[in-house]
Amino acid sequence: MKRKIIEIDRDKCIGCGLCTNACMQGAIQLVDGKAKLVSESYCDGLGMCLPQCPVGAIQLVEKDAEAFNSDRANIKLKSENQSSVSACGCSSKQAESQSLACGCPSTLSKIIERKDKGPVAHGSQPSRLRQWPVQLHLVNPAAPYFKNANLLLSADCVMAAYGDFQEKLLKDRAIAIACPKLDNIEGYVEKLTQILVNNDIKTIVVARMEVPCCGGISTLIKQALQNSGKEIPLREVVISIDGNVK
């Protein structure tokens, strides 16, 4: 029969799992790190998952498809809730108890409240991280920690190379980290654009290593800033391989 049903662009999908939580019929699962429609008969065609996708990888299309079978979908969903294990290795019972899209804590948006006591003279230094998650693939553009925030976009290696990373860069900033060389960066510009458009970002700091391949992270944020149409102060910090600010 011809009816409306979702269609997922796996090339755009970033595997955040938010759509799996929005689908009440259990029609979407994460398979090999990507969202997949497991059966046409489970999809009711209402499109509740569409607004949850941060990269626009899901759309409603009208085509010949299996009829929606609510009884079959409910049986499938109940079975998964009782015994299945998600693609990231957590059971669906964990997902239900933690209200996570795929059951994995890596996707849980969380603000970390800290009392800023300043630098510690002796002993361990306090962490300046105020959110979770931090990886650009996993952050939700609508997460509350981005609201009215100063944004830090950092290349992965900066955290290892720069000794003052926490105090000089991370402190009082929301963060997203990425590797422009090793990550699958498709969708990064679009996600960064959404962060800038949907939140009143005050300032942007992009931190990168001096190696040429790391310059790609600056290109990503500059393109996103251009796409957003906003004028937000942008500062680039370049760290040398031996850990100094260039």
Side-chain angles (χ1 to χ4, degrees):
M1 63 179 295
K2 182 165 287 189
R3 68 183 184 92
K4 287 187 177 181
I5 192 171
I6 66 162
E7 188 172 82
I8 302 172
D9 188 333
R10 286 177 64 83
D11 291 333
K12 285 186 177 181
C13 177
I14 60 174
C16 67
L18 295 175
C19 57
T20 64
N21 195 44
C23 179
M24 303 305 294
Q25 311 299 338
I28 308 175
Q29 291 182 8
L30 289 181
V31 178
D32 297 327
K34 298 279 188 174
K36 180 180 180 180
L37 178 63
V38 294
S39 174
E40 293 180 346
S41 66
Y42 298 158
C43 178
D44 55 17
L46 294 178
M48 299 296 291
C49 53
L50 269 67
Q52 300 302 317
C53 181
V55 295
I58 309 174
Q59 61 177 336
L60 271 179
V61 298
E62 188 170 355
K63 67 175 187 178
D64 290 325
E66 294 180 56
F68 173 58
N69 188 328
S70 60
D71 291 337
R72 185 181 175 200
N74 289 334
I75 291 173
K76 171 71 174 176
L77 186 59
K78 182 178 179 180
S79 175
E80 288 174 350
N81 285 338
Q82 289 176 342
S83 61
S84 70
V85 175
S86 70
C88 53
C90 301
S91 71
S92 54
K93 285 186 177 180
Q94 289 175 308
E96 183 179 355
S97 65
Q98 299 177 38
S99 299
L100 303 181
C102 68
C104 177
S106 65
T107 62
L108 175 61
S109 294
K110 179 180 180 181
I111 295 177
I112 303 173
E113 300 290 347
R114 297 189 187 278
K115 293 182 179 179
D116 190 357
K117 299 179 180 180
V120 178
H122 301 285
S124 62
Q125 295 294 318
S127 172
R128 299 302 186 182
L129 183 63
R130 297 179 179 271
Q131 72 185 69
W132 187 260
V134 298
Q135 218 287 332
L136 186 54
H137 268 304
L138 299 176
V139 297
N140 186 341
Y145 47 74
F146 285 128
K147 299 297 182 184
N148 302 307
N150 296 297
L151 176 65
L152 170 63
L153 178 63
S154 176
D156 296 352
C157 296
V158 172
M159 296 181 291
Y162 186 40
D164 286 332
F165 178 82
Q166 293 256 337
E167 287 295 323
K168 297 294 181 63
L169 293 180
L170 180 58
K171 185 179 178 180
D172 298 326
R173 292 188 174 99
I175 183 175
I177 65 172
C179 177
K181 182 176 182 179
L182 301 180
D183 288 359
N184 177 6
I185 64 172
E186 185 175 358
Y188 271 2
V189 170
E190 186 171 355
K191 176 171 278 196
L192 288 168
T193 301
Q194 290 185 19
I195 291 174
L196 300 182
V197 168
N198 298 322
N199 303 279
D200 293 325
I201 299 298
K202 298 175 182 177
T203 63
I204 304 170
V205 172
V206 56
R208 49 158 292 201
M209 299 298 296
E210 65 176 331
V211 292
C213 60
C214 204
I217 198 165
S218 297
T219 303
L220 291 173
I221 190 63
K222 289 175 182 178
Q223 184 61 58
L225 189 57
Q226 181 178 341
N227 292 350
S228 73
K230 293 189 173 183
E231 294 185 3
I232 304 174
L234 172 65
R235 178 166 63 97
E236 183 181 62
V237 178
V238 181
I239 306 299
S240 66
I241 294 175
D242 57 4
N244 295 313
V245 178
K246 297 198 70 174

